[in-house]
């Protein structure tokens, strides 16, 4: 099923450019992708800040789980935006293998 916006919202000729609704949808996708990228950065920074002398191993496992959940959500958001290849994200954010191993794992 396709969605056709009301004629009052159409600014441009549909064959020559984007209409208002398409622009708003693209803008929201980009914004949510950026927010999710910031969540990944924060989760990975917290994991990197972990120190064995000051924190427990259980705390580290919690941080790894939180980082893997954030990365998983980011991968899903990228796929929604049409970005299928995650190798560049893994490299850009320097996502550790222990986080990648838990991406998509459902914990109880």
């Amino acid at each position: 099923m396709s969605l056709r916006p009301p004629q009052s919202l159409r600014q441009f000729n549909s064959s020559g450019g984007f209409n208002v609704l398409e622009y708003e949808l693209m803008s929201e996708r980009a914004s949510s992708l950026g927010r999710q990228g910031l969540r990944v950065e924060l989760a990975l920074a917290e994991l990197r800040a972990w120190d064995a002398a000051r924190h427990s191993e259980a705390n580290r496992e919690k941080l790894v789980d939180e980082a893997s959940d954030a990365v998983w959500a980011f991968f899903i958001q990228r796929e929604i935006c049409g970005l299928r290849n995650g190798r560049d994200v893994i490299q850009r954010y320097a996502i550790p293998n222990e986080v990648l191993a838990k991406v998509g794992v459902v914990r109880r």
Side-chain angles (χ1 to χ4, degrees):
M1 182 170 119
S2 63
L3 175 69
R4 196 184 89 192
Q7 293 296 326
S8 62
L9 293 177
R10 296 175 75 90
Q11 276 188 344
F12 306 104
N13 184 349
S14 63
S15 64
F18 294 107
N19 64 35
V20 175
L21 183 58
E22 288 172 342
Y23 178 80
E24 289 296 324
L25 289 171
M26 288 174 52
S27 175
E28 184 56 36
R29 282 187 200 122
S31 178
S32 63
L33 187 62
R35 286 190 306 269
Q36 192 59 45
L38 291 175
R39 287 186 189 115
V40 169
E41 287 177 359
L42 178 64
L44 291 174
E46 289 176 358
L47 179 59
R48 289 183 185 109
W50 181 84
D51 182 18
R54 294 183 292 156
H55 302 99
S56 67
E57 189 62 34
N59 180 265
R60 179 168 177 75
E61 282 300 314
K62 180 180 170 246
L63 292 173
V64 169
D65 290 344
E66 289 173 358
S68 67
D69 289 344
V71 169
W72 188 25
F74 188 51
F75 284 164
I76 291 170
Q77 187 65 40
R78 283 177 48 86
E79 285 191 23
I80 289 171
C81 294
L83 305 168
R84 307 264 188 266
N85 190 350
R87 283 179 271 174
D88 59 332
V89 172
I90 295 167
Q91 192 174 29
R92 181 178 305 128
Y93 289 96
I95 301 172
N97 287 334
E98 65 181 332
V99 172
L100 290 173
K102 291 189 172 190
V103 168
V105 172
V106 178
R107 290 170 284 285
R108 295 178 192 238

